Amino acid sequence: MTDAGMSALARMVFDELAKETPPSRLAWDTYAAALALRLFNLQKPPAHRMTDGGGLARWRLKRAMDYLMAHLSEDVALAEVAAIADLSPHHFCRAFKQSTGLPPHAWLTRQRLEHALQLMSAHPKMGLVEIALCVGYQSQTSFGQAFKRAMGVTPSRWRRDQGLGPPL
């Protein structure tokens, strides 16, 4: 018997391990929370399994998002953000995803890349290493990989395409 959710989770962890740089604490914590919930649910009869309830209350979501944005360049742990929302990490992770459509680490990655786009547009002479560090990446390489995965082009190519850098 296979579990589709467990298979999907295993694929996500495998994809993280295949990256050149190690995943953030938030990513690992999110995977651990999801794994714990899957294992918990597999032990229960179907009628007693936990289902997605409501998302986060607005004040909790705002508090968590504000905290993540204030710590954009840091390696934040899921437990830290959950504590800000006054919830357990497992409940916070599930409710955050229901509220935003993304797990906390994916939402934070999106915010980091959006902030990088703003920096690249507003400061065309700012180096990519500096931008990478400002938005929470350990290196230009890890930033470039995340950027290309999300945008389909490298940061340098994106800048040139926007008329913000030297032509090819």
Side-chain angles (χ1 to χ4, degrees):
M1 178 171 98
T2 62
D3 178 65
M6 191 68 81
S7 296
L9 181 59
R11 276 191 304 276
M12 286 189 285
V13 170
F14 179 78
D15 289 346
E16 286 289 339
L17 293 172
K19 293 178 185 175
E20 188 172 309
T21 56
S24 67
R25 287 192 306 164
L26 185 60
W28 278 131
D29 292 348
T30 301
Y31 295 138
L35 176 62
L37 184 60
R38 297 286 323 161
L39 292 173
F40 175 78
N41 276 334
L42 288 174
Q43 300 301 313
K44 298 287 183 180
H48 298 291
R49 291 185 180 169
M50 293 176 65
T51 58
D52 285 341
L56 291 172
R58 284 185 194 211
W59 71 269
R60 291 179 198 265
L61 183 61
K62 180 177 179 356
R63 189 182 282 181
M65 288 177 162
D66 288 349
Y67 182 82
L68 288 168
M69 292 304 291
H71 296 87
L72 196 64
S73 65
E74 299 170 25
D75 189 12
V76 179
L78 180 62
E80 291 174 48
V81 188
I84 295 297
D86 198 29
L87 294 170
S88 72
H90 299 286
H91 183 73
F92 171 79
C93 191
R94 184 175 48 81
F96 187 93
K97 183 176 181 182
Q98 184 150 10
S99 295
T100 65
L102 295 170
H105 75 280
W107 184 88
L108 183 61
T109 297
R110 180 177 286 173
Q111 300 309 307
R112 285 176 169 161
L113 293 174
E114 286 179 13
H115 188 61
L117 288 172
Q118 292 169 356
L119 288 172
M120 290 191 309
S121 295
H123 307 283
K125 294 195 188 287
M126 188 176 199
L128 293 177
V129 172
E130 188 177 359
I131 290 172
L133 295 173
C134 284
V135 299
Y137 288 91
Q138 300 294 318
S139 69
Q140 182 179 343
T141 302
S142 59
F143 167 62
Q145 289 172 341
F147 192 95
K148 187 168 184 176
R149 245 188 328 276
M151 304 297 292
V153 296
T154 64
S156 302
R157 180 62 190 225
W158 183 88
R159 272 186 163 169
R160 282 191 294 275
D161 291 349
Q162 302 301 310
L164 301 170
L168 287 174

